[in-house]
Amino acid sequence: MRTLFLAAVLGISLHAYDAAHLKKALEDKECIGCDLRGANLSKIDFSGADFHGSDLSGADLSGSMFEMGDFNDCNLSGANAEGALFWKGTMKRSDLTRIRARGANFKGTHLEQSNLRFADLRGTKSWKANFSDAILFKTNFTDAELGDAKFIHNDLRSSKMKHTLLWQTHFSDTVLTKVQCTHAQKEEAILDANVTCR
């Protein structure tokens, strides 16, 4: 009973992935609406795979290739995606809370309406990525490359953007700190009249 209580308080799942779902993911290189919680999917080529609506919370995706993959409506909270490739993929409306994606490639990835609270995106390459309407609370973009990316209707004030590349990055209807605004202007980002610097 004590274990169940602690799990509930800490948000830890006591259940592992579905073995049949993991087998399908590894053999077919896709699995729609699957239970892959905590599964090891590291260092595998999943290019073009469809994981739409799947639960990959706590999964190990490090070093894998998900080029043009579909992660829409997925749960990737707490997943390890360090060094993973999500180039031109789609992760709309997904839960990426506390994802560890240091050094990952999100070039051209669609992240609209996703939850990136406490996400570690240090050193990521996210050129032309779309973060419109995403929750960016204490998201760490330190050393990230965000050139030509889109931030529309976001609040970035709690996010870390130290040494972040923002060349031609589009900001619209977004709230930034004064320091972030100054940095963005120096980087030749595009801030429209609806950007607020506080």
Side-chain angles (χ1 to χ4, degrees), residues 54 56-58 61 71 74-79 91 94-97 99:
S54 292
L56 295 120
S57 54
L61 314 175
F71 284 94
C74 282
N75 182 355
L76 289 150
S77 60
M91 306 173 96
S94 292
D95 185 354
L96 301 163
T97 307
I99 190 171

Side-chain angles (χ1 to χ4, degrees), residues 2-76:
R2 179 179 169 78
T3 303
L4 289 171
F5 174 76
L6 287 173
V9 171
L10 298 174
I12 299 170
S13 174
L14 296 176
H15 304 287
Y17 56 83
D18 184 305
H21 290 180
L22 177 59
K23 184 174 184 290
K24 175 176 174 53
L26 294 173
E27 291 181 355
D28 299 344
K29 300 296 188 266
E30 67 175 23
C31 203
I32 301 170
C34 291
D35 181 356
L36 296 166
R37 291 173 291 172
N40 184 355
L41 300 171
S42 66
K43 298 177 182 175
I44 300 171
D45 188 349
F46 287 102
S47 297
D50 189 347
F51 287 97
H52 191 111
S54 292
D55 188 344
L56 295 120
S57 54
D60 186 357
L61 314 175
S62 60
S64 286
M65 295 177 62
F66 300 98
E67 184 177 325
M68 301 182 75
D70 184 344
F71 284 94
N72 288 338
D73 303 299
C74 282
N75 182 355
L76 289 150

Side-chain angles (χ1 to χ4, degrees), residues 114-125:
S114 286
N115 186 346
L116 286 145
R117 292 168 62 91
F118 302 101
D120 183 357
L121 301 179
R122 288 176 292 170
T124 53
K125 291 177 173 59

Side-chain angles (χ1 to χ4, degrees), residues 6 47 78 93 134 138 162 184:
L6 287 173
S47 297
R93 301 173 302 278
K138 293 193 175 181
K162 189 175 181 180

Side-chain angles (χ1 to χ4, degrees), residues 121-139:
L121 301 179
R122 288 176 292 170
T124 53
K125 291 177 173 59
S126 302
W127 290 79
K128 296 188 177 181
N130 193 333
F131 293 92
S132 298
D133 292 296
I135 299 172
L136 301 169
F137 181 77
K138 293 193 175 181
T139 307

